[in-house]
């Protein structure tokens, strides 16, 4: 197999710089971080590493923009709506370059990145529509006719966002579109592996000339930069997406700052799927494989624990194997490619280590895959891998791997057994069931404690449905009205009308 190193297009901004207070600036650390094309493991950019001082400059800029600037204090909701609509159009007009850069920097198949771009444009349009619809309530005083009570919704303030690497542009839109629509100002840190489309986004936002300086800022780097943002006393809310371990650390940190702040954390998962005996087994096998292997398994809601009913287990497992082996891997910018590489060497080694752990499981065996894609090719490629007959408590069945690895559990006999086992899971992000039985669907959707439940499909998401977790998968909701409301705070006003 030959993987081609597609050239990065000419960028209309300096890819080494951060964006602070309406200007492109270098990091005052003087250090840079290499950014790779994971399909070939080659460096495509050296990006500045922001210092704590740079984070402070960005937060101060967002703080001034919030308390003194026109975005919050002069603009109407309709003006913010129009700014977001202009930004959506700007993104749409540059989507070809954005798609190519996103695909090169993440290794994601270009066909999948197009869906991400559709969603990104749609998200900005959707949340633009909320900007002029901020509503409070009138609440009559129950005992005193002289008093009028009502609530007013105001933007939360300066929001610090810390993003994961896996959906750089789309997850940015999940966060930034509702926050700006609500009237917040933002400091955004992308995942250190994938900063390029965040920088491009800042460039496009700047080009619209509709966002006053300081409203949106980008700082670049890894854990130290994220930590400086979390620790900054002028931050009013932290929105974090990443692993459970980092998320817990972020929660602890936000409680240690001089002023407490709102926090939402979108964390990992180990999402189960259930195949009941009454379904079209071929279709279900296709959906399970794409539910697990999409984005090479680097999906927080990937279907990675599969329950198959005993009566169809032996018929279903070969279908799964065939569906996984049919996945086309190759240069991500090739239209035919369905699965790309892992994001970096660290993730590649982590996934291979989990596959080694899986091989040591007593009764489990490798149904397909279990190896690097091909010896000698550059980049971070691992075969789509399926283990069958895995104990539900095995490490490969309970820990988030974040790679193309599916654990088909030992066969089950009753849906109650599945729900009982799943309610003990540390995670609660998503689940899926494949069945035609209305009563099984009802039992499953009522019984499961997780944020999203797919019935006879998997991974379908739309901008207006809230997304988030239970337990270690986090708290807070992204997408939908729930996320917009998360960037608003409520004031209660009590007025004595007889005065
Ligand atoms: P990660 O936890 O390693 O890093 C996430 C972000 O946190 C990065 O920007 C990183 O630089 C930053 N960071 C690291 N240490 C920090 C610190 N001490 N303080 C502040 N910030 C810090 O996660 P990752 O490898 O980038 O992403 C993969 C994880 O993200 C998976 O667990 C996946 O399930 C999860 N994820 C969840 C969702 C969701 O919506 N629930 C979506 C995408 C990814």
């Amino acid at each position: 197999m030959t993987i081609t190193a597609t050239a990065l297009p000419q960028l209309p901004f300096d890819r080494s710089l951060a964006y602070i207070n309406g200007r492109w600036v270098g990091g005052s650390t003087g250090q840079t971080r290499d950014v790779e094309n994971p399909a070939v493991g080659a460096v495509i950019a050296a990006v500045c590493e922001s210092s704590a001082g740079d984070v402070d400059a960005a937060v101060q800029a967002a703080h001034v923009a919030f308390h003194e600037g026109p975005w919050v204090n002069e603009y109407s909701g309709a003006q913010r709506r129009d700014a977001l609509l202009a930004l959506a159009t700007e993104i749409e007009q540059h989507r070809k370059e954005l798609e190519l850069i996103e695909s090169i920097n993440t290794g994601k198949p270009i066909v999948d990145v197009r869906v991400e771009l559709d969603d990104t444009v749609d998200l900005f349009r959707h949340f633009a529509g909320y900007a002029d619809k901020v509503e409070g309530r009138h609440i009559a005083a129950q005992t005193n006719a002289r008093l009028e009570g009502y609530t007013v919704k105001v933007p939360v303030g300066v929001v610090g966002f810390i993003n994961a690497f896996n959906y750089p542009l789309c997850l940015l839109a999940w966060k930034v579109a509702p926050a700006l629509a609500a009237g917040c100002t933002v400091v955004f840190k992308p995942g250190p592996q994938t900063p390029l489309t965040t920088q491009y986004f800042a460039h496009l936002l700047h080009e619209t000339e509709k966002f006053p300086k300081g409203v949106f800022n980008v700082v670049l780097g890894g854990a130290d930069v994220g930590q400086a943002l979390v620790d900054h006393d002028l931050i009013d809310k932290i929105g974090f997406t990443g692993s459970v371990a980092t998320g817990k650390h972020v929660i602890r940190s936000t409680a240690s700052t001089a002023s407490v702040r709102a926090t939402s954390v979108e964390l990992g998962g180990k999402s189960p799927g259930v195949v009941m005996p009454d379904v079209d087994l071929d279709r279900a096998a296709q959906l399970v494989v794409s539910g697990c292997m999409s984005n090479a398994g680097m999906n927080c809601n990937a279907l990675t624990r599969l329950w198959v009913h005993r009566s169809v287990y032996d018929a279903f497992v070969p279908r799964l194997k065939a569906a996984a082996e049919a996945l086309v891997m190759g240069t991500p910018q090739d239209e035919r490619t369905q699965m790309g590489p892992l994001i970096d060497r660290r993730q590649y080694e982590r996934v291979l280590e989990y596959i080694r752990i899986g091989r040591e499981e007593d009764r489990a065996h490798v149904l397909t895959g279990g190896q690097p894609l091909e010896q000698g090719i550059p980049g971070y490629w691992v075969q789509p891998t399926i283990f069958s007959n895995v104990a539900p408590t095995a490490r490969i069945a309970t820990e988030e791997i974040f790679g193309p690895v599916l654990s088909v559990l030992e066969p089950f006999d009753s849906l109650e057994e599945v729900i009982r086992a799943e309610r003990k899971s540390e995670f609660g992000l998503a689940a899926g069931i494949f069945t035609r039985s209305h009563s099984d669907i009802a039992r499953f959707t009522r019984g499961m404690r997780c944020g999203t439940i797919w019935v006879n499909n998997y991974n379908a998401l739309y901008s207006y449905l809230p997304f988030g977790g239970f337990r270690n998968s986090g708290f807070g909701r992204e997408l939908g009205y729930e996320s917009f409301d998360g960037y608003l705070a409520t004031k209660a006003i009590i007025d004595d009308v007889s005065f």
Side-chain angles (χ1 to χ4, degrees):
M1 174 179 291
T2 310
I3 307 291
T4 307
T6 308
L8 203 61
Q10 193 76 29
L11 299 178
F13 54 88
D14 182 337
R15 71 187 83 162
S16 70
L17 302 181
Y19 180 74
I20 297 175
N21 207 19
R23 291 177 46 236
W24 291 95
V25 291
S28 56
T29 57
Q31 288 163 3
T32 57
R33 178 186 290 265
D34 287 344
V35 173
E36 284 186 309
N37 171 350
V40 290
V43 174
I44 52 172
V47 167
C48 76
E49 190 80 4
S50 300
S51 66
D54 300 325
V55 172
D56 179 53
V59 177
Q60 295 281 359
H63 182 77
V64 170
F66 186 82
H67 289 280
E68 295 166 28
W71 182 250
V72 189
N73 304 295
E74 291 169 28
Y75 283 18
S76 64
Q79 280 171 292
R80 285 198 290 271
R81 175 199 65 202
D82 292 346
L84 289 165
L85 289 173
L87 180 53
T89 302
E90 196 75 22
I91 297 168
E92 198 167 41
Q93 284 169 353
H94 293 84
R95 63 174 294 165
K96 287 275 168 266
E97 302 99 283
L98 285 163
E99 282 165 9
L100 191 54
I101 297 164
E102 189 86 323
S103 173
I104 293 170
N105 189 190
T106 58
K108 213 175 284 190
I110 191 83
V111 287
D112 292 349
V113 178
R114 287 188 190 134
V115 177
E116 233 184 282
L117 257 293
D118 287 342
D119 287 350
T120 301
V121 172
D122 184 54
L123 276 155
F124 277 96
R125 296 211 165 113
H126 176 69
F127 284 105
Y130 282 133
D132 62 353
K133 297 174 193 67
V134 178
E135 296 170 355
R137 293 191 296 151
H138 169 243
I139 304 163
Q142 65 274 44
T143 52
N144 188 340
R146 286 186 297 111
L147 297 181
E148 285 288 9
Y150 55 95
T151 62
V152 174
K153 293 268 188 172
V154 295
V156 161
V158 178
V159 186
F161 284 123
I162 297 165
N163 209 9
F165 69 81
N166 59 337
Y167 286 89
L169 196 54
C170 199
L171 287 184
L172 175 149
W174 284 24
K175 294 171 160 44
V176 173
L180 292 181
C184 294
T185 59
V186 168
V187 180
F188 192 93
K189 189 192 93 59
Q193 303 93 327
T194 52
L196 298 182
T197 47
T198 298
Q199 292 167 299
Y200 206 128
F201 171 83
H203 163 75
L204 295 176
L205 177 138
H206 188 93
E207 289 295 293
T208 64
E209 297 182 353
K210 292 192 184 297
F211 295 84
K213 64 178 184 169
V215 168
F216 178 76
N217 306 273
V218 176
V219 290
L220 299 167
D224 291 349
V225 183
Q227 188 72 52
L229 196 52
V230 169
D231 288 344
H232 202 293
D233 272 324
L234 295 181
I235 291 281
D236 297 293
K237 176 165 181 162
I238 286 288
F240 172 83
T241 296
S243 60
V244 175
T246 316
K248 285 186 173 178
H249 178 79
V250 164
I251 296 165
R252 278 193 294 272
S253 298
T254 57
S256 312
T257 46
S259 58
V260 294
R261 70 271 330 257
T263 311
S264 75
V265 291
E266 302 291 339
L267 309 178
K270 190 79 187 179
S271 299
V274 183
V275 176
M276 298 300 283
D278 60 345
V279 285
D280 175 337
L281 296 183
D282 290 313
R283 254 189 94 199
Q286 295 289 345
L287 286 165
V288 167
V289 166
S290 67
C292 177
M293 308 296 174
S294 149
N295 200 20
M298 295 180 296
N299 228 341
C300 52
N301 50 254
L303 190 171
T304 45
R305 255 170 89 76
L306 184 69
W307 298 87
V308 182
H309 193 271
R310 189 178 303 280
S311 63
V312 289
Y313 198 92
D314 290 342
F316 189 71
V317 161
R319 290 170 157 89
L320 268 185
K321 175 171 153 61
E325 289 173 358
L327 282 174
V328 178
M329 299 175 82
T331 303
Q333 293 72 45
D334 184 325
E335 305 273 331
R336 291 162 298 183
T337 298
Q338 293 173 309
M339 193 178 120
L342 294 161
I343 192 67
D344 56 16
R345 175 154 301 280
R346 187 166 152 261
Q347 196 58 23
Y348 170 82
E349 282 169 2
R350 175 186 160 92
V351 170
L352 290 178
E353 173 61 9
Y354 267 106
I355 291 173
R356 190 195 62 71
I357 291 168
R359 287 182 192 280
E360 286 179 357
E361 282 295 327
D362 277 352
R363 294 186 299 271
H365 80 271
V366 178
L367 186 66
T368 184
Q371 303 287 343
L373 183 59
E374 214 177 278
Q375 292 303 332
I377 59 164
Y380 310 117
W381 298 83
V382 173
Q383 294 172 340
T385 298
I386 303 180
F387 286 91
S388 62
N389 208 38
V390 180
T393 51
R395 283 189 65 191
I396 53 166
T398 53
E399 296 177 16
E400 185 182 49
I401 300 173
F402 226 52
V405 183
L406 173 65
S407 290
V408 186
L409 307 180
E410 294 159 349
F412 76 92
D413 296 296
S414 83
L415 194 54
E416 278 63 35
E417 173 191 338
V418 172
I419 293 169
R420 247 196 329 273
E422 288 305 327
R423 283 178 73 120
K424 291 185 191 140
S425 165
E426 71 160 293
F427 298 107
L429 194 58
I433 186 164
F434 300 92
T435 179
R436 294 200 182 97
S437 158
H438 181 72
S439 61
D440 283 346
I441 292 168
R443 274 191 296 162
F444 190 70
T445 54
R446 287 179 181 196
M448 293 298 292
R449 299 272 300 161
C450 56
T452 300
I453 302 175
W454 283 290
V455 179
N456 294 326
N457 71 100
Y458 204 88
N459 272 347
L461 278 178
Y462 44 105
S463 313
Y464 326 139
L465 266 177
F467 181 87
F470 284 54
R471 300 188 297 278
N472 267 354
S473 294
F475 54 80
R477 287 292 177 272
E478 300 208 281
L479 304 179
Y481 181 77
E482 282 82 349
S483 78
F484 179 64
D485 200 43
Y487 299 107
L488 293 169
T490 306
K491 284 183 189 172
I493 316 286
I494 303 113
D495 182 2
D496 186 335
V497 294
S498 68
F499 190 73

